[in-house]
Amino acid sequence: LLALLAGATATVALALVFWRSSDWGPEARAPRLPALQPEPAGAGAGAPQAGESAEERLQRLRRPVYPRPPPEPGALGELGRAVSLELDEAGKKLQEDSIQRHQINIYLSDRISLHRRLPERWHPLCKEKKYDYENLPKTSVVIAFYNEAWSTLLRTVYSVLETSPDILLKEIILVDDYSDREHLKEPLENHLSGLHKVRLIRANKREGLVRARLLGASIATGEILTFLDCHCECHEGWLEPLLERIHEEESAVVCPVIDVIDWNTFEYLGNSGEPQIGGFDWRLVFTWHVVPEKEQQRRSSKIDVIRSPTMAGGLFAVNKKYFEYLGSYDTGMEVWGGENLEFSFRIWQCGGSLEIHPCSHVGHVFPKQAPYSRSKALANSVRAAEVWMDEYKEIYYHRNMHARKEPYGDITERQQLRAKLKCKDFGWFLENVYPELHVPEDRPGYFGMLISRGMEEYCFDYNPPSENEITGNQVILYLCHGMGQNQFFEYTSRNEIRYNTRQPEACAAVDVGADHLTMHLCYKNPPENQKFIFKEDGSIFHVQSKKCLQAEPNASNGNPAPLLRTCTNSEYQRWFFKESS
Ligand code: UD2
Ligand code: MN
C-alpha cells in the first residue's frame, strides 16, 4: 500500500482526521478524540456462549455494528416504498428548492428515517448462503463526498453500520472532498464523533472523486477496500458475498448489484431478477446490458458471480494490496468521470477480473441531473483511451470531435505502469472480455456526417425514442452541427448504414411499402431491407426496393428527409461522408 500512499499523499494534504475506536494505533497527523457515547448495546460479534447452537452462533456472527431501531409508527418510505408528500404552496416551494439545489428530492429525504428498512430484493438462494465469518477478510468502507445533503449522507452511513456484520467491518472512512456547506462542517463532526467505527477526513482542496477515494484508502486499515457513493443504502447481506469472493480469488474486483433509488420518491427499485452487466459505447459512455448467453453457460448457479466488461464506478470491493499492485487509480483524473472505464480496462488487461455478485445489492440515488459541473470527464476519458485503447482510440475520436483536441496532461507514469505489469492490449480485451461489442470499421470516406450534394448544409440525423430505446424512429435530414452524436453514421462493408455511436447499434431499414428510413436493430447477417449499395457516383441504392435515396426538402413534419425514389442523376441523389472536425 505504501506506493499508493506515496502517490496519494504527494498530491493530497490531510486537513483533519478523527476517529473513535479502541483497536487502532496512534497515527501521526490524527488527533484522537474522546469517546462521546458508550459502545452500542448489543453490538459486536461478542464472545461465544457456552452451549450455543449453530443457529445462535450464526446470528451472533452476523450481528451488525448497530442494530436497526424499529420504525416509528407511520414512518415514511419504510421498506423502500415510494413517497409523495401532500404539500401546501410553501412546502412545494421548499421541495422544489431542494431539488434545484441537490437534483435529489432532499425535502422528502429529510422526512424519511435514516434507519429505514429496505424490501428484500435479492435472489431467494442468497438468503440460504452461509458464510465463514471468522475467516473472511475485514473491510474498510470508503465514502467520498462533495456537498452532499445531510440525510442522504447519513442514511448511507447508518445503512452500512446497520447491515454490515461487526466482525467484517473495520471502519467507515468518510472523505470530505472540500465541501463548502455548513452542515458538513462542525455539525457533521459532532454527529459522527458519537458513532463507533466512523472516521472523517477532509481534503484541503477539491481533489475530485479519484484522489478523494485514494485519500481514504491511504488511511484504511482493512484488508479489503469497499467503495461506496455517499447516497447509498445497503441491502441486507450486501457485504458478505463481496468479501467471500475476494477471499476466494484475490484478483477479483467485485461490484454489488446497483439498485435504483428514485431521486423524487425514494422508492427502492431493486429486483431479484438477473442483474445487468456493464459495457460502454464508442463515445466511451458507460452502458448496461443483459448477461450474454456465453456467460450464462459459464455460471453453474444463478448466484454465481457474473463477469462484467466494465463497472459503473462507484460501488466495488477490492483487495487493498491488489488495488495497489494494479496502480490504484489514475491520479491525473479530476472531479468526475472516466475512472470507471479506465479501471475496468486495467483490471481485465492486467490479469484481474471484474465481477458482479448477484447476492450483493446496494441502492443508489441517481440524481435528476448532474448536481455539479462534470466538464473534466472528457479529459479523464481521453486519458483512459490514450493509455489503454491502442489503435481503437481512433474509433472513439471519430465519435467525439472534442476528445482529440482535449488537453489530457501527462500520462507517462500510467504508460509505464502498463508496461511494468505487462498488460494485454485492447484488441485482446474486445475479443475476450467484450465480444458483444461491435467494432466499427471506420473505413476512410465511409463514416461521419452523411450529406447530399443537393442540400449540403443538411446531414443524416437520427433521434432515438429515448435513452433506453434506440429503434423505431425515422431518419431525417437536419442542419449539420458537426458534433457527431445523432449525425454520426457509418457505411459498412456489409452494406449497412449504421448508427453506431450508441449501444446497442441501429441500422437504417426500409419497412414494407414505406419510402422512408426507419432505424432497426442490426443483425449479424443484414436482412435485405437493411442493405444499401453506396456507388462510385455517390448514389445510395436500396437493394430490396431497387430505388435510390433522395434528399427531399419537405418530407417529414416539415423536416427534410432521405426518401426512396426512382434512381436519377439528380444532385439530391448524390451523397458523401464528411468527418466532423
Ligand atoms: C457514477 C458512479 C460514481 C463515479 C462516476 C464516474 C455509481 C453508482 N456511481 O456516477 O461513483 O464512478 O460514475 O466518475 O456507479 N465526489 C467527490 N468529489 C467530486 C465529485 C464527486 O468526492 O469532485 C463524490 C460524490 O459525492 C459521490 C461520488 O464521488 O459520493 C461519486 O459521484 P456522483 O455520485 O456524483 O457520481 P454518479 O453516481 O453520478
Ligand atoms: Mn452517485
Side-chain angles (χ1 to χ4, degrees), residues 144-146 148 177 206 208-209 212-213 228-231 258 312-315 335-340 364 366-367 372 374:
F145 64 93
Y146 171 70
E148 189 67 14
D177 188 13
R206 177 82 175 274
L209 70 90
R213 282 179 192 166
L228 293 180
D229 276 9
C230 58
H231 30 248
I258 304 177
L315 288 43
V335 188
W336 179 97
E339 95 294 343
N340 56 329
H364 171 266
F366 291 87
Y372 51 85
R374 293 177 171 179

